[in-house]
Amino acid sequence: QVQLVESGGGLVQPGGSLRLSCAASGTIYRINTMGWYRQTPGKQRELVAAITSAGITNYADSVKGRFTITRDNAKNAINLQMNLLKPEDTAVYYCNADVRVSFTARPYVYWGQGTQVTVSS
């Protein structure tokens, strides 16, 4: 069993910054890609940023230049530094990890419980 625990959401004014963190725990052999997704009511969950175990990153066009994803492989953790936040960044943010629990196991995608980010004056 693998758990993803997120932290760092909250309320911030437009132009402000927030830092989200996510740590994976449990039976873990290897984690491939980890990432952040977000979702607003009535819309599909969308990718915000992702990072491979080798440090290769991928960002949604809407956050490029404002958000930075980093990873600590030793801690099975990722962070998302969000700067110059806009009201349209308001959403529930979910951590995601592609995990193998053993050498012979297939990768399986796990999700965190979500953390609310609200950008409002």
Side-chain angles (χ1 to χ4, degrees):
Q1 187 73 2
V2 175
Q3 299 82 38
L4 300 180
V5 178
E6 302 134 331
S7 61
L11 172 65
V12 64
Q13 292 187 339
S17 298
L18 278 177
R19 184 179 177 86
L20 303 183
S21 297
C22 172
S25 63
T27 304
I28 297 171
Y29 169 72
R30 180 173 295 169
I31 301 179
N32 300 319
T33 300
M34 297 185 76
W36 290 97
Y37 287 69
R38 65 188 181 188
Q39 189 170 23
T40 54
K43 292 190 176 181
Q44 284 192 327
R45 195 171 293 188
E46 63 174 6
L47 173 69
V48 176
I51 185 167
T52 69
S53 57
I56 298 170
T57 57
N58 181 36
Y59 294 94
D61 287 342
S62 60
V63 307
K64 284 181 181 176
R66 300 188 298 122
F67 291 11
T68 302
I69 188 169
T70 56
R71 178 167 175 167
D72 186 335
N73 287 327
K75 296 181 179 179
N76 291 326
I78 57 171
N79 296 300
L80 184 68
Q81 178 66 41
M82 304 186 293
N83 299 327
L84 300 175
L85 282 160
K86 305 175 181 179
E88 50 264 44
D89 294 318
T90 296
V92 178
Y93 284 69
Y94 295 91
C95 178
N96 159 290
D98 186 31
V99 181
R100 290 174 63 188
V101 297
S102 71
F103 176 74
T104 56
R106 286 183 152 183
Y108 184 84
V109 175
Y110 292 86
W111 292 90
Q113 78 284 359
T115 185
Q116 177 70 45
V117 171
T118 302
V119 184
S120 176
S121 55

